[in-house]
């Protein structure tokens, strides 16, 4: 119930699917915001927090394959 009070720029997969992006950078930033919001709202020991880290690592890896000329960074430590 307090999600929209805490998260000032909410997004979701549904929003991303409907949104028109003017650049690959906008698309990248919207996905990164999705993962950041999940970590900000959820406790570090939660499954959602952990899954957002895993999904961000996957997203960054795949993004680099298709857009190797566009910068993308993550603060998430790789899973070993």
């Amino acid at each position: 119930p307090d999600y929209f009070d805490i998260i000032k720029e909410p997004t979701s997969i549904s929003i991303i699917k409907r949104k028109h992006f003017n650049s690959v950078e906008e698309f990248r930033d919207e996905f990164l915001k999705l993962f950041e919001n999940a970590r900000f709202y959820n406790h570090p020991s939660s499954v959602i927090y952990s899954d957002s880290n895993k999904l961000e690592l996957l997203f960054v890896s795949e993004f680099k394959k298709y857009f190797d000329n566009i910068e993308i960074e993550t603060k998430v430590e790789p899973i070993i």
Side-chain angles (χ1 to χ4, degrees):
D2 61 351
Y3 183 81
F4 295 102
D5 294 328
I6 294 171
I7 300 299
K8 300 305 179 196
E9 292 184 48
T11 192
S12 67
I13 295 294
S14 300
I15 290 171
I16 292 170
K17 285 171 65 173
R18 291 190 313 263
K19 193 169 185 175
H20 173 76
F21 296 99
N22 293 315
S23 68
V24 174
E25 290 85 356
E26 283 183 19
F27 172 77
R28 172 201 63 202
D29 294 346
E30 193 72 14
F31 257 98
L32 293 176
K33 180 171 44 174
L34 176 73
F35 306 129
E36 181 64 31
N37 286 350
R39 286 191 296 273
F40 188 79
Y41 185 75
N42 294 280
H43 192 274
S45 65
S46 73
V47 172
I48 294 173
Y49 190 102
S50 175
D51 285 351
S52 71
N53 284 340
K54 293 172 190 171
L55 288 170
E56 182 171 323
L57 289 171
L58 177 62
F59 177 79
V60 168
S61 173
E62 292 300 308
F63 187 91
K64 286 178 179 180
K65 288 180 189 176
Y66 293 96
F67 305 105
D68 61 349
N69 60 326
I70 298 175
E71 195 171 311
I72 187 168
E73 294 182 19
T74 180
K75 295 176 184 166
V76 177
E77 293 295 323
I79 303 165
I80 298 176

